Amino acid sequence: MRLKLGFITLGLAVLAGCNDQAASGGAGSRDQIRIVGSSTVYPFSTLVAEQFRTQNTAFKAPVVEQGGTGAGAKLFCAGLGAAHPDILDASRRLTASEYKSCADNGVDRVIEVQIGLDGISLAESTNGPKLRLNPSDIYLALAANPMGKTNTAKTWNEVNPALPAIPIQVYGPPSTSGTRDAFAEILMERGCLAIFPESLKMREKEPDRFKKLCHEIRSDGPWVDAGENDNLIVQKLQSNPDAVGVFGYSYLEQNPTTLVGVPVGGVSPTYETIANGHYPGSRPLFIYVKKAHLDAVPGLRKFVELYATLWNPNGPLTRRGLIAGAATVRAASKKIIEDGTTLDGSTLN
């Protein structure tokens, strides 16, 4: 009984401390929700923040920052209390190592909510060469060591004779980005397995070697890190019509007069092809919430509940570019929010 009482006391102390810091107005305090993470999820959380402020004028507007899923996870997992973010926007699931970092720092009750879907879109200028790529083309063009050999390809026709003889130049997110992680895990890996099927056994027995072979992106020029602000990639494509950009589908949808999606495996990135899973770059999007902060940070519970009212088909979030999840997925996510169900870390890779 004494041990159990100790845990209860500790939990109350964390909550009380967060409340005190949030309401005190002193150094290091805050009285508003703080969100960090993915640039892909950023416009969706920003919209929810706008509606939250409109509907709840007693609360300050949430602060939404974008810096990539990986960088955001480091901030999110650093600890509990007013000095640390409440929500992580993520364009991929937390990794097992990130979850362990959270737990090691006392963030051992994390709520995982899938908010919808996105497509890792390849796009070019409407004045571009009208590329049509396969996952194997993407892998051979951008892998650091395709088939275990240093990549020396400079033009697309070196990768596939059916492609134009123009330089391979792809603007994409940096290594801290969940979009880049998903690009490697979904599209690069698919291409690697297609032309090097023996690597499937390697994925199970030698995962580090497999990642180096199939996920590592070259750093000798054809892939250009364009930062976490995907709008900068959009601008670069307008000034360089032969280049290709990699970002979330919403940025493609928001620029229909200047950009066109590059078909992958014969399928263009559209709302329908992503929603039905036909587009090879489809992926889920998430927010992660600290359960210990739900009732400690003013308005946080209301904010998370509001998210669940906006992600339906034809809702505000889908009008901004989110792909609505299946009805069963949306129902499951809503129930997770209602019940405060926490993530089982053993399900992570």
Side-chain angles (χ1 to χ4, degrees):
M1 178 63 72
R2 186 174 300 171
L3 179 61
K4 183 177 180 181
L5 180 60
F7 279 115
I8 292 173
T9 302
L10 176 61
L12 291 174
V14 169
L15 294 177
C18 201
N19 269 323
D20 287 347
Q21 291 181 65
S24 69
S29 68
R30 62 177 168 83
D31 54 358
Q32 58 196 148
I33 299 162
R34 185 182 172 205
I35 305 165
V36 297
S38 166
S39 60
T40 300
V41 182
Y42 171 80
F44 308 134
S45 286
T46 299
L47 184 148
V48 179
E50 292 166 356
Q51 298 229 357
F52 173 82
R53 183 69 176 100
T54 299
Q55 297 178 22
N56 300 277
T57 56
F59 299 116
K60 286 189 175 181
V63 175
V64 188
E65 305 170 39
Q66 58 177 326
T69 300
K74 289 181 180 178
L75 295 171
F76 179 81
C77 291
L80 295 175
H84 305 288
D86 310 303
I87 295 177
L88 169 66
D89 287 342
S91 54
R92 57 162 173 78
R93 290 195 82 192
L94 277 179
T95 65
S97 62
E98 287 169 341
Y99 182 83
K100 183 179 184 302
S101 175
C102 271
D104 288 346
N105 290 317
V107 188
D108 55 355
R109 294 184 300 151
V110 176
I111 300 170
E112 178 186 72
V113 181
Q114 181 178 333
I115 64 167
L117 297 167
D118 181 38
I120 305 167
S121 302
L122 277 70
E124 61 183 8
S125 166
T126 51
N127 299 320
K130 303 299 184 289
L131 289 172
R132 299 181 67 87
L133 302 174
N134 291 313
S136 56
D137 300 329
I138 296 169
Y139 171 71
L140 291 174
L142 297 174
N145 300 286
M147 305 294 287
K149 299 178 181 178
T150 301
N151 200 338
T152 59
K154 299 298 182 185
T155 60
W156 284 107
N157 69 325
E158 291 180 64
V159 168
N160 181 344
L163 296 174
I166 59 175
I168 300 168
Q169 187 160 38
V170 178
Y171 295 113
S175 58
T176 55
S177 169
T179 296
R180 175 161 164 162
D181 292 338
F183 173 78
E185 292 169 7
I186 298 174
L187 292 177
M188 293 271 288
E189 181 174 312
R190 189 186 294 256
C192 180
L193 291 172
I195 64 174
F196 193 36
E198 306 94 294
S199 61
L200 184 60
K201 293 182 179 179
M202 187 190 303
R203 184 172 66 179
E204 299 172 0
K205 297 181 178 180
E206 301 177 88
D208 291 340
R209 184 182 170 205
F210 175 80
K211 286 184 178 181
K212 184 172 181 64
L213 176 71
C214 295
H215 293 188
E216 186 176 348
I217 294 176
R218 63 195 299 186
S219 58
D220 61 333
W223 174 280
V224 180
D225 283 353
E228 290 288 359
N229 187 342
D230 291 344
N231 283 312
L232 293 179
I233 299 178
V234 174
Q235 294 171 19
K236 289 179 182 295
L237 294 181
Q238 293 172 5
S239 61
N240 185 357
D242 285 343
V244 174
V246 175
F247 38 61
Y249 169 75
S250 65
Y251 290 88
L252 177 60
E253 187 182 60
Q254 290 165 20
N255 296 275
T257 61
T258 57
L259 299 180
V260 61
V262 174
V264 177
V267 182
S268 295
T270 67
Y271 186 100
E272 291 74 19
T273 60
I274 296 167
N276 63 28
H278 290 167
Y279 179 66
S282 300
R283 60 167 175 175
L285 300 177
F286 302 91
I287 60 171
Y288 291 89
V289 186
K290 290 174 181 171
K291 188 168 184 176
H293 284 200
L294 269 180
D295 294 313
V297 175
L300 180 58
R301 184 180 292 275
K302 286 181 176 291
F303 178 90
V304 179
E305 290 172 348
L306 178 61
Y307 228 120
T309 70
L310 303 177
W311 63 35
N312 294 320
N314 301 316
L317 288 172
T318 57
R319 289 196 292 272
R320 184 161 286 192
L322 181 72
I323 310 297
T328 53
V329 173
R330 298 197 310 271
S333 292
K334 185 177 180 181
K335 184 169 177 53
I336 285 172
I337 293 171
E338 291 172 348
D339 297 346
T341 306
T342 55
L343 173 64
D344 178 0
S346 67
T347 64
L348 302 172
N349 298 318

